[in-house]
Amino acid sequence: MLTIEKVAVIGLGYIGLPTAAILAANGIRVIGVDVNQGTVDAVNRGEVPFVEPDLSVHVAGAVSQKLLSASTETPTADAYIVAVPTPFLSDRTADLSYIESAALGIAPQLRGGELIILESTSPPRATRHLANYILGLRPDLSSDGANGKPVVHFAHCPERVLPGRVMIELVTNDRIVGGTTREAAERAKDLYGVFCQGEIHLTDDVTAEMAKLVENAYRDVNIAFANELSFISDTVGIDVWELIRLANHHPRVNILQPGPGVGGHCIAVDPWFIVAAAPEDAKLIRQAREVNDSKPEWVVGKVMDALSGLPAKSEIAVLGLAFKANIDDLRESPAVEIAKRLADALPEKCINVVEPHVQELPSSLTGRNNISLQDLEHALERSAVVVLLVDHEAFTKLTDDQLIGKAVIDTRGALKV
Ligand code: SAJ
């Protein structure tokens, strides 16, 4: 029986805000909490501060029905969903400081009986770390009723939605819910059951944490295989795209696509949490990360090869900065990394970046006078070398005529030249 009427969602980012909106759309009173006043103000106006299909409609509707509001202060609530960032530190272990900040806000509000769910992608035992951190601040409470203390329930429920399809996948994907106790898992299942039409699988907290990391590491390893094939194909002088297309005709083979490297805040990051947890064992996972991380430098080498023999003043068109097609998200994007390396290595060359989904270059590319954001036509007109980094629709439609006479480096296999 669900007794949760009021939920606080801590962190109104790419996952927290959609989750808040979908709960509110299903009749739960939701308060979104964020440290960024601009985000809080935007949500209270019914606006969404980033691009995600269908999210605006949900947020605007929930705010106008007074089921969703936002604040910089953590309120009392029946359940808390923590969806804050867990970036990695310079030694590639997870930075849990945002989780701890969320805990500092939650702890004073607890009365006993609440459910606290960690949704942030986390290294193994982060949910226990959150529980211990909160119970350290509130020694009058417990996670299991020991010594007759009121219980607070802790669970991990990783999100697995694909950016660009978040509002659909939140509803249709299966979910894994791991509790520090069985009761915590059952309660979290009841809450997600409010909107989730997929199956909800119960387990313990550490297995749930690992499941999310393993899903992304699985994909990373498979993309690394494709990227390694692109190196090998180049060495033996064959077309990697044709090679993969043909091999995939086998009924039990499904090779992914090579690219300029792996970006985004998940697949390029999460496998390192596994490596940090078991460095001696996670050999293949580490190697895959290294293969994928080596791809940007390899692409830069191909641009250098293409430039050799061309007039010194030849310009370069860099097509795409996003981490994947048809989105505006530049986080951990290998395309940004390649653009930066080219700008650093070629101070005398003009680099024309085309990214139809952003209005200005990211800060890592500004402050240089050899790189600028241009429209596609202008960039193509001026450049002798074209390097395609993202298979945005605007680029895959390019015709042979538009590329005639140019050296083309197509890292996505998106062009027919
Ligand atoms: N990529 C390739 N070749 C491929 C597929 C992808 O180079 O064949 C690259 C993309 O261009 C991109 C990166 O990999 O740079 C990641 O893109 P993606 O579409 O594979 O995944 P994300 O990062 O957008 O979302 C992933 C998803 N995880 C899995 O598919 C296992 C998503 O379901 C998760 O919710 C999300 O990570 C997350 O939040 O963890």
Side-chain angles (χ1 to χ4, degrees), residues 129-305:
H129 177 78
L130 170 68
N132 291 337
Y133 196 87
I134 287 182
L135 296 177
L137 295 164
R138 290 292 306 271
D140 55 313
L141 301 171
S142 72
S143 61
D144 56 5
N147 302 323
K149 292 178 184 176
V151 177
V152 177
H153 307 277
F154 293 93
H156 182 62
C157 182
E159 60 75 20
R160 294 132 93 213
V161 288
L162 198 70
R165 285 178 46 85
V166 170
M167 298 315 286
I168 300 166
E169 292 203 358
L170 264 181
V171 176
T172 57
N173 283 3
D174 284 5
R175 294 209 69 141
I176 296 173
V177 172
T180 61
T181 62
R182 185 74 187 179
E183 190 182 350
E186 298 280 0
R187 286 180 181 236
K189 180 180 182 180
D190 285 348
L191 180 58
Y192 285 98
V194 166
F195 62 85
C196 175
Q197 291 170 8
E199 255 189 79
I200 302 179
H201 307 273
L202 299 195
T203 182
D204 64 79
D205 51 324
V206 183
T207 306
E209 289 160 347
M210 279 296 288
K212 165 67 191 257
L213 301 178
V214 161
E215 288 164 9
N216 282 346
Y218 169 85
R219 199 151 164 88
D220 197 44
V221 168
N222 282 280
I223 298 169
F225 182 74
N227 277 327
E228 187 161 293
L229 289 182
S230 74
F231 303 146
I232 295 167
S233 299
D234 191 57
T235 301
V236 302
I238 59 170
D239 179 336
V240 68
W241 315 103
E242 186 186 1
L243 172 67
I244 291 175
R245 187 169 49 76
L246 292 174
N248 281 349
H249 281 291
H250 187 288
R252 286 176 296 284
V253 174
N254 185 14
I255 303 170
L256 294 179
Q257 299 299 301
V262 169
H265 53 301
C266 308
I267 295 183
V269 176
D270 299 359
W272 288 120
F273 295 170
I274 302 178
V275 174
E280 296 300 318
D281 306 315
K283 297 187 185 73
L284 178 63
I285 293 172
R286 178 202 298 271
Q287 183 78 54
R289 268 293 63 242
E290 286 169 357
V291 167
N292 288 332
D293 274 353
S294 72
K295 195 72 192 276
E297 190 52 40
W298 187 84
V299 174
V300 169
K302 290 288 150 202
V303 177
M304 297 302 181
D305 292 349

Side-chain angles (χ1 to χ4, degrees), residues 99-121:
I99 293 179
E100 290 172 0
S101 300
L104 281 174
I106 295 169
Q109 307 302 336
L110 299 173
R111 297 152 296 180
E114 291 89 348
L115 170 65
I116 301 178
I117 298 170
L118 180 62
E119 269 217 21
S120 312
T121 303

Side-chain angles (χ1 to χ4, degrees), residues 85 235 354 366 380 412:
T235 301
V354 185
T366 53
L380 289 179
R412 297 276 184 178

